[in-house]
Amino acid sequence: MKRTARAFWIGPPGHGEIRDVVLPDPAEDEVVVRSLWSGVSRGTETLVFRGGVPENQHATMRAPFQEGDFPGPVKYGYLNVGVVEEGPAALLGRTVFCLYPHQTRYVVPVSAVTPVPDSVPAGRAVLAGTVETAVNALWDAAPLVGDRIAVVGGGMVGCSVAALLGRFPGVRVQLVDADPARAKTAEALGVGFAPPADALGDCDLVVHASATEQGLTRALELLSAEGTVLELSWYGDRKVSLPLGEAFHSRRLVIRSSQVGTVSPARANRSYADRLALALDLLADPALDALVTGESDFEELPQLLPRLASGEIPALCHRVRYADIG
């Protein structure tokens, strides 16, 4: 008897559909996972949904279990939490995280799943991929005790970075965003908040995650001399202009990129598995529930993605519920 599942696909850019799929029989080193939750990363996934991945980035932007190619049809996503239905005895019945797209069941190698700690609810574990990005960013940034830091852009990644920075001793952390509603998120995460015009300057480090030209310009303005902007935004096919004249050189400012696809060279002795396991351990903090701002059923994804992409739903992480569908 064939195992079947249902998966969300992007057809032409801007349009999604649910497709029936037939699963392969699992090999000895594979597991069958039934999805419990998945998460929509609004920034990257809506960019993919609208067909905004530049052609020269098609290979770089591939998700681990992506099917199809950009701009579409493509099955894309990487925040999945499920329960192991078949596989090694040590994993049977375990809740696991996997970098898998939105699909009701799937077959992957044992090495592709990471057990979720008992201290982390399955619904919160969908944030693991984003918190992993934040971990890698802070390995790159290497903040110090007593640093003055701003995080410009209160999306999933920016809020995750701010939440982790809020645990550093003696650090002044301020989340900066044009949306005043992000003040409540910052409060829940235990960090300060300010709109861009009122943000505290003289920063040693600014983490930029707004994916806007205005945000990156403001990030440079907030730096002290010799300060660094860590750039986490993904702009896709959009061009960005910056004021690199003025005092950029005389103040010896730095703009540095960071991307989760490579483990930070500052922690070259750590593996991808080490980094993900750390992210899952950090998710024991219930304050991170503030990053989940909406929830829908799996079957609603074709109607949900256009609303997320247009900004009609101003989500951070929108969680997808699978219930008992096959």
Side-chain angles (χ1 to χ4, degrees):
M1 182 177 176
K2 291 289 185 181
R3 297 171 180 83
T4 60
R6 291 169 65 72
F8 175 71
W9 279 73
I10 299 167
H15 299 275
E17 63 182 18
I18 303 292
R19 296 186 183 182
D20 293 324
V21 297
V22 175
L23 301 181
D25 291 330
E28 288 187 8
D29 61 345
E30 293 182 322
V31 289
V32 179
V33 179
R34 174 172 55 85
S35 295
L36 299 172
W37 304 94
S38 60
V40 179
S41 176
R42 184 173 174 235
T44 302
E45 288 197 53
T46 59
L47 186 146
V48 171
F49 183 72
R50 68 172 179 82
V53 179
E55 187 173 351
N56 64 5
Q57 293 297 303
H58 282 190
T60 301
M61 282 292 294
R62 287 192 69 87
F65 294 100
Q66 174 180 324
E67 293 183 38
D69 296 298
F70 303 120
V74 62
K75 183 175 77 175
Y76 190 86
Y78 47 83
L79 301 173
N80 188 290
V81 176
V83 61
V84 175
E85 292 189 321
E86 298 180 50
L91 286 173
L92 278 178
R94 289 293 303 272
T95 300
V96 294
F97 177 84
C98 184
L99 296 168
Y100 204 87
H102 309 283
Q103 184 166 310
T104 57
R105 277 187 177 81
Y106 52 92
V107 179
V108 293
V110 168
S111 59
V113 300
T114 302
V116 175
D118 292 339
S119 59
V120 179
R124 190 186 305 153
V126 297
L127 298 168
T130 307
V131 173
E132 182 183 11
T133 300
V135 167
N136 204 62
L138 295 184
W139 283 349
D140 279 335
L144 300 175
V145 173
D147 273 358
R148 294 159 297 200
I149 304 174
V151 179
V152 177
M156 277 183 73
V157 171
C159 285
S160 296
V161 170
L164 298 190
L165 283 170
R167 304 178 180 196
F168 279 64
V171 168
R172 184 192 81 187
V173 184
Q174 190 171 57
L175 181 66
V176 180
D177 197 277
D179 182 357
R182 289 290 178 265
K184 290 185 177 179
T185 307
E187 182 181 6
L189 297 175
V191 299
F193 174 82
D198 299 332
L200 297 173
D202 202 24
C203 292
D204 304 289
L205 169 68
V206 178
V207 179
H208 179 242
S210 81
T212 67
E213 184 176 300
Q214 296 87 347
L216 183 50
T217 298
R218 186 61 177 139
L220 287 169
E221 293 170 347
L222 295 175
L223 287 175
S224 63
E226 308 249 357
T228 296
V229 169
L230 189 76
E231 176 59 277
L232 292 180
S233 300
W234 168 244
Y235 297 93
D237 55 0
R238 290 177 291 133
K239 304 294 183 183
V240 176
S241 297
L242 289 177
L244 299 185
E246 303 179 6
F248 179 79
H249 288 85
S250 63
R251 297 176 64 219
R252 298 176 57 84
L253 304 182
V254 175
I255 302 175
R256 181 180 180 185
S257 66
S258 178
Q259 212 275 337
V260 73
T262 300
V263 173
S264 170
R267 294 294 179 272
N269 62 332
R270 308 292 177 85
S271 67
Y272 290 97
D274 292 335
R275 191 178 65 183
L276 179 57
L278 172 59
L280 281 164
D281 284 340
L282 291 170
L283 280 166
D285 185 350
L288 290 165
D289 284 333
L291 303 186
V292 178
T293 54
E295 190 174 298
S296 299
D297 289 329
F298 168 75
E299 299 288 347
E300 298 176 62
L301 274 171
Q303 294 75 44
L304 173 69
L305 260 293
R307 298 176 66 199
L308 287 173
S310 70
E312 179 184 345
I313 301 176
L316 291 175
C317 178
H318 194 95
R319 194 162 53 192
V320 179
R321 178 177 54 239
Y322 288 79
D324 293 320
I325 55 181

